Amino acid sequence: MALGGAFTLATGRSIPTADSYIKQLNITEPVILYNGAMIYDPVKQEPIWSATLPEHIKGLPERAMAQFPGLGVEILSGKGLYAVGWNSLVDAHLNGSYRVPHERCGVGSLADRPWIKILFVTGEAQMPALIEWLHSLNLDGVEMTHSDQILYEVLPKEAGKGRGLERLAALTKRPLSQIAAMGDYYNDLSLA
């Protein structure tokens, strides 16, 4: 708490990835992670609120990889990030300028876990076709966002950083005007 307000993170990143930023910035307020699909208490190190993808979405990564050979796919589940479709862009995303804690595995090994979000990772040339295909599926219970030039995300319908900020304000009983959030560029217009 500073200057009469609260400073927090609003990011698409996972718990293990955001943890280093949280510690560096000495954030003790709850943070918005997974693009608004989780509000996490960094002091207690536990979620205050979270949403997960519907079970019927768990078949989507394999369908997408069959439709787009070479597609990169990352699945985020609680405290874990799993690369289930590997390509050079996934390698750069997870092992690039800063190392993102992750595990390489198959989709089947994650069937019993709750999924928070799916990241599809592809080049800019293939991105429009991927987005069009995903939207043509008319998926129920999800929110989709183009979060980076190479990333397209499928999230629980309840997600969204703007909704996450509203939820955080309600949970902490603070006016939204007294919460400052640091986010990303591509998909954060709802924070303005």
Side-chain angles (χ1 to χ4, degrees):
M1 188 79 138
L3 302 175
F7 176 77
T8 190
L9 288 176
T11 183
R13 302 198 193 296
S14 62
I15 293 169
T17 307
D19 192 48
S20 63
Y21 303 123
I22 291 166
K23 287 176 181 163
Q24 265 184 322
L25 297 168
N26 196 30
I27 295 174
T28 56
E29 296 292 324
V31 296
I32 299 161
L33 302 177
Y34 304 95
N35 282 354
M38 179 183 286
I39 298 176
Y40 179 75
D41 183 332
V43 175
K44 293 181 181 175
Q45 298 185 337
E46 61 187 34
I48 297 171
W49 176 90
S50 65
T52 57
L53 287 165
E55 285 294 313
H56 70 272
I57 297 301
K58 290 186 175 180
L60 184 61
E62 289 176 324
R63 287 175 64 192
M65 288 187 289
Q67 184 74 23
F68 299 94
L71 179 67
V73 181
E74 300 170 21
I75 296 172
L76 287 81
S77 175
K79 293 188 178 184
L81 189 154
Y82 305 91
V84 298
W86 196 262
N87 63 21
S88 62
L89 295 170
V90 170
D91 185 48
H93 183 237
L94 299 178
N95 296 318
S97 54
Y98 62 95
R99 296 189 61 80
V100 176
H102 67 279
E103 179 182 325
R104 285 179 74 170
C105 64
V107 175
S109 66
L110 304 174
D112 294 336
R113 298 177 192 212
W115 293 8
I116 295 176
K117 79 175 179 175
I118 302 169
L119 279 171
F120 292 107
V121 189
T122 192
E124 290 181 69
Q126 190 177 31
M127 187 61 76
L130 173 66
I131 292 170
E132 182 179 339
W133 179 78
L134 286 167
H135 284 270
S136 75
L137 299 176
N138 296 313
L139 300 171
D140 291 327
V142 302
E143 173 93 14
M144 293 188 274
T145 186
H146 191 185
S147 60
D148 181 274
Q149 293 173 333
I150 63 165
L151 301 175
Y152 199 75
E153 301 185 22
V154 178
L155 300 149
K157 188 173 182 116
E158 304 86 358
K161 291 181 193 171
R163 285 188 292 276
L165 278 175
E166 291 167 358
R167 207 170 268 119
L168 178 61
L171 287 168
T172 59
K173 297 180 180 16
R174 286 198 182 96
L176 189 56
S177 62
Q178 290 185 3
I179 298 175
M182 176 177 65
D184 307 316
Y185 168 75
Y186 229 75
N187 60 339
D188 286 348
L189 294 177
S190 65
L191 294 177

